[in-house]
Amino acid sequence: GAGVSQSPSNKVTEKGKDVELRCDPISGHTALYWYRQSLGQGLEFLIYFQGNSAPDKSGLPSDRFSAERTGGSVSTLTIQRTQQEDSAVYLCASSLSGTADTQYFGPGTRLTVL
Amino acid sequence: QKEVEQNSGPLSVPEGAIASLNCTYSDRVSQSFFWYRQYSGKSPELIMSIYSNGDKEDGRFTAQLNKASQYVSLLIRDSQPSDSATYLCAVYNNAGNMLTFGGGTRLMVKP
């Protein structure tokens, strides 16, 4: 079946602009995760959804970052007033039911803030 | 102190040798451990998961877990150039319902 998809694959924006990143999880997966990976670095956990709710938003780097998930499926990660330090690959993953299930990753969105 | 530690490498091994990748973690109550492989410019893909102390084998890969020492490792037998990638250790945190990743070890298998 189809894997996790993300769009856009690449996004170049100017400092101060808002961007919206989209993730479409594997059908039937109730858990959805957002991570950020800076160049040459490991994965930084941002936020987790179980269904439409996000129990813990403390991983979001600042209040410029927000995320939502509607209908228990597609999720969007919004970054307002982008800064150069926001440049990274944003990865989305989904798993069947959360807990310790295997997470399957999407191809990522490479964000470049000029 | 980082929660999940890995040597960043690069770890260079000749083709056909055994590659040994190591990971330590700080949360003593962690129960689930994962190894992901990430090729340059690609997203991580799961290689193995391990939940119990001891060894778990899958083809050329063996994961080893020692909860008392808070240590998990991945052995790759008969290493191939196609195994060259960054290997990420991930530890599941029950409290936060999240995976915590190490920084990854870059493996280079030379023909």
Side-chain angles (χ1 to χ4, degrees):
Chain A
V4 178
S5 61
Q6 292 185 246
S7 62
S9 55
N10 278 285
K11 177 71 176 179
V12 180
T13 190
E14 293 179 347
K15 178 181 171 181
K17 300 283 190 183
D18 298 351
V19 295
E20 193 172 276
L21 313 180
R22 175 189 167 108
C23 172
D24 203 339
I26 293 172
S27 178
H29 280 195
T30 62
L32 185 148
Y33 305 81
W34 282 99
Y35 297 89
R36 178 169 72 172
Q37 188 172 35
S38 301
L39 187 64
Q41 302 298 310
L43 274 71
E44 175 189 2
F45 171 78
L46 298 179
I47 193 168
Y48 148 71
F49 287 91
Q50 181 59 260
N52 291 336
S53 64
D56 182 3
K57 300 182 180 180
S58 62
L60 295 175
S62 76
D63 58 9
R64 297 185 294 105
F65 287 71
S66 63
E68 65 174 13
R69 187 181 187 195
T70 55
S73 182
V74 171
S75 175
T76 54
L77 177 68
T78 301
I79 309 173
Q80 295 179 309
R81 304 181 302 282
T82 52
Q83 303 295 311
Q84 288 183 329
E85 61 262 28
D86 299 334
S87 297
V89 175
Y90 289 80
L91 289 161
C92 174
S94 72
S95 69
L96 187 60
S97 62
T99 64
D101 288 344
T102 297
Q103 294 186 20
Y104 297 89
F105 284 83
T109 293
R110 181 176 298 276
L111 175 66
T112 303
V113 182
L114 302 177
Chain B
Q1 182 187 2
K2 285 181 118 177
E3 295 181 32
V4 181
E5 295 261 17
Q6 294 181 256
N7 188 318
S8 62
L11 172 65
S12 183
V13 301
E15 184 175 356
I18 296 175
S20 178
L21 305 162
N22 304 314
C23 172
T24 58
Y25 59 95
S26 60
D27 187 351
R28 187 169 290 278
V29 302
S30 297
Q31 296 294 320
S32 306
F33 307 87
F34 303 84
W35 282 99
Y36 283 81
R37 177 176 62 197
Q38 187 174 27
Y39 291 112
S40 181
K42 302 294 185 183
S43 57
E45 55 181 336
L46 182 73
I47 298 176
M48 292 195 66
S49 58
I50 186 166
Y51 307 99
S52 304
N53 278 328
D55 294 1
K56 179 181 178 183
E57 186 175 318
D58 184 0
R60 295 187 296 113
F61 299 96
T62 299
Q64 300 174 317
L65 175 61
N66 183 326
K67 291 184 181 178
S69 300
Q70 295 174 238
Y71 176 91
V72 58
S73 65
L74 180 70
L75 301 178
I76 306 175
R77 290 182 299 282
D78 188 23
S79 295
Q80 301 297 309
S82 59
D83 294 327
S84 298
T86 296
Y87 289 79
L88 299 166
C89 172
V91 176
Y92 182 72
N93 179 315
N94 288 356
N97 202 357
M98 56 183 263
L99 279 182
T100 300
F101 284 83
T105 298
R106 189 157 71 95
L107 173 67
M108 297 171 58
V109 181
K110 298 194 173 179

